[in-house]
Amino acid sequence: MSAGGEASQPQAAAAFSLSSSTLLQSSILTLATLTLLSFTYFSYNSNSLHSPPPPTTTTTTSTSQLYLSKLEVVEVEKQKQKKREKDDDVSGDVYHLPQIFGLNYAEMERRFKVYIYPDGDPNTFYQTPRKLTGKYASEGYFFQNIRDSIFRTHDPNQAHLFFIPISCHKMRGKGTSYENMTIIIQNYVESLISKYPYWNRTLAGGNDIENRTTLGFWAGHRNSKIRVILARVWQNDTELDISNNRINRAIGPLIYQKRFYNTKFCICPGGSQVNSARIADSIHYGCVPVILSNHYDLPFNDILDWHKFAVILKEHDVYQLKQILKDIPDAEFVALHKNIVKVQRHFQWNSPPIRYDAFHMVMYELWLRRNVIKY
């Protein structure tokens, strides 16, 4: 028994020893694993704490950089301003009135508009020059620049001037004679006059006095006593162009209008009605109206001084009409004509209306009567 017992002790010890060794190894392995995990954990957090944050898409500009950028912008604007001032410098003795020139030039840039007539055959004389070389390059430069400039407008109602794109140089290059050039341009201009209402919209301007070679003009029906006398006394006169009937437009284009343009004084006798379109026509074409009537309530009579741009006569003056008109000095006629140009805007209708035009003058008359006349 004892032998068996003694024998069993070493086995138990060995078993215990094995068990303790296995346990120790397991414990060491577990400790090593925990140590490794702990080391990995702390290493990761340590790296997280000490490594820089990941890059982001947003770039932060420092205050100094922003300040420098603003300074650079200010400096650039200063340089631009200096260049503008240098370019705009119109001072010096080479100019008669440099300040006025500078102000007028700025006003031109702000307001001046030009309409280019689109008519004409682009394959012949009306095409603008392409080449900008040679001694006639100025024409090409002007044609090209006016098309692309701030001055061009596609709305003729906004235009101050109307440009006819005819190249005389190109006509010369095609061998066109000066005589044929005159005919071509005249036909082209007359086609524009008949097609568009804008021609001579400034209503005869003020530079056509030398073209008015006829002393007086009237054409119409004899539907009143004064018209009958006017036609009977003066219809065969060589200096007064007096026609017993209205001009038949079938005999030629713009014949009636041309008579107005070529005449100094346009006779406006009273007719069968209280109004006469000839007064407005005379003003429109820059022909000084001669009012031949005993009783005529002239338009805007309480606003405009008609004696400054018209000749006011009584009906009995018809017999001395020619001498009365011839006795008017040239200087007085020039003054009357200039004043006609000045008042033309008051008799012109526009859509939409423009300040001081016929619509606004009528409205002013209504306002004046409403505020002055006491009921």
Side-chain angles (χ1 to χ4, degrees):
M1 291 284 300
S2 62
E6 290 178 358
S8 63
Q9 286 181 357
Q11 292 179 357
F16 175 78
S17 220
L18 179 62
S19 176
S20 298
S21 175
T22 301
L23 181 61
L24 180 60
Q25 291 177 357
S26 176
S27 298
I28 292 173
L29 180 61
T30 300
L31 181 61
T33 302
L34 289 176
T35 302
L36 179 62
L37 290 175
S38 299
F39 178 80
T40 303
Y41 173 78
F42 284 113
S43 297
Y44 176 78
N45 283 275
S46 176
N47 290 335
S48 300
L49 290 174
H50 296 286
S51 62
T56 59
T57 55
T58 304
T59 302
T60 304
T61 304
S62 66
T63 305
S64 59
Q65 290 176 327
L66 186 61
Y67 182 69
L68 287 175
S69 298
K70 289 183 177 179
L71 285 178
E72 291 172 354
V73 170
V74 171
E75 184 61 28
V76 169
E77 289 300 321
K78 284 183 179 179
Q79 295 298 327
K80 289 182 178 179
Q81 181 64 26
K82 287 182 180 179
K83 187 177 185 305
R84 283 194 294 265
E85 291 175 355
K86 183 179 180 180
D87 293 341
D88 293 341
D89 182 20
V90 290
S91 61
D93 297 336
V94 296
Y95 302 100
H96 289 297
L97 298 169
Q99 186 175 5
I100 300 244
F101 172 53
L103 292 174
N104 287 342
Y105 190 90
E107 181 71 7
M108 174 202 68
E109 289 184 312
R110 285 193 298 267
R111 299 185 56 189
F112 192 39
K113 296 298 177 185
V114 177
Y115 178 79
I116 301 177
Y117 280 110
D119 294 62
D121 184 359
N123 297 318
T124 55
F125 312 117
Y126 311 105
Q127 184 179 4
T128 56
R130 293 181 180 178
K131 294 183 178 179
L132 303 180
T133 58
K135 61 182 179 180
Y136 297 106
S138 298
E139 183 183 86
Y141 275 109
F142 183 83
F143 279 25
Q144 176 177 292
N145 291 341
I146 193 68
R147 286 198 309 262
D148 303 329
S149 71
I150 60 172
F151 304 113
R152 184 180 184 181
T153 177
H154 295 281
D155 183 1
N157 293 312
Q158 294 181 352
H160 301 97
L161 292 179
F162 292 76
F163 179 62
I164 304 175
I166 292 182
S167 173
C168 296
H169 173 54
K170 191 170 184 179
M171 280 192 273
R172 286 189 61 191
K174 288 182 174 290
T176 308
S177 65
Y178 287 107
E179 292 76 12
N180 287 336
M181 280 188 196
T182 303
I183 296 173
I184 291 171
I185 294 176
Q186 180 179 353
N187 292 337
Y188 180 48
V189 168
E190 289 187 351
S191 71
L192 295 178
I193 295 174
S194 60
K195 183 175 181 179
Y196 297 98
Y198 317 119
W199 185 264
N200 203 29
R201 195 173 61 171
T202 51
L203 312 180
N207 301 319
D208 63 341
I209 294 178
E210 65 277 3
N211 298 324
R212 299 182 180 275
T213 56
T214 303
L215 180 63
F217 165 66
W218 175 78
H221 295 308
R222 295 187 294 178
N223 55 10
S224 66
K225 181 180 178 180
I226 185 60
R227 292 189 176 192
V228 171
I229 298 173
L230 176 66
R232 186 180 69 240
V233 174
W234 299 111
Q235 65 180 351
N236 296 321
D237 192 83
T238 58
E239 295 181 271
L240 294 178
D241 184 4
I242 306 298
S243 302
N244 192 21
N245 295 299
R246 289 183 179 176
I247 296 175
N248 185 359
R249 301 188 181 219
I251 64 176
L254 306 173
I255 295 298
Y256 187 68
Q257 291 89 332
K258 289 179 180 178
R259 303 279 269 276
F260 277 99
Y261 280 128
N262 296 331
T263 305
K264 289 183 176 181
F265 302 97
C266 290
I267 318 302
C268 303
S272 59
Q273 302 179 11
V274 295
N275 62 329
S276 174
R278 281 172 185 79
I279 296 178
D281 287 342
S282 300
I283 296 174
H284 178 85
Y285 294 110
C287 184
V288 176
V290 178
I291 312 300
L292 195 58
S293 176
N294 292 333
H295 307 286
Y296 210 115
D297 187 12
L298 295 168
F300 316 130
N301 194 30
D302 48 357
I303 305 170
L304 302 175
D305 185 354
W306 278 79
H307 290 88
K308 298 296 176 60
F309 57 90
V311 178
I312 313 295
L313 301 177
K314 297 294 185 181
E315 291 182 2
H316 63 74
D317 294 323
V318 66
Y319 300 100
Q320 293 82 35
L321 177 61
K322 179 178 176 179
Q323 193 59 45
I324 291 173
L325 298 181
K326 293 184 71 172
D327 288 343
I328 296 176
D330 290 340
E332 183 178 346
F333 166 70
V334 170
L336 290 169
H337 184 266
K338 287 184 176 180
N339 288 335
I340 276 286
V341 175
K342 198 170 185 177
V343 302
Q344 283 169 342
R345 61 174 178 164
H346 301 313
F347 295 88
Q348 182 177 351
W349 291 93
N350 302 284
S351 182
I354 300 173
R355 295 187 73 205
Y356 298 106
D357 68 356
F359 170 76
H360 285 96
M361 292 294 285
V362 171
M363 296 304 295
Y364 180 78
E365 284 272 18
L366 296 174
W367 176 86
L368 196 64
R369 295 181 185 185
R370 173 65 181 82
N371 285 272
V372 174
I373 298 177
K374 304 300 180 182
Y375 296 94

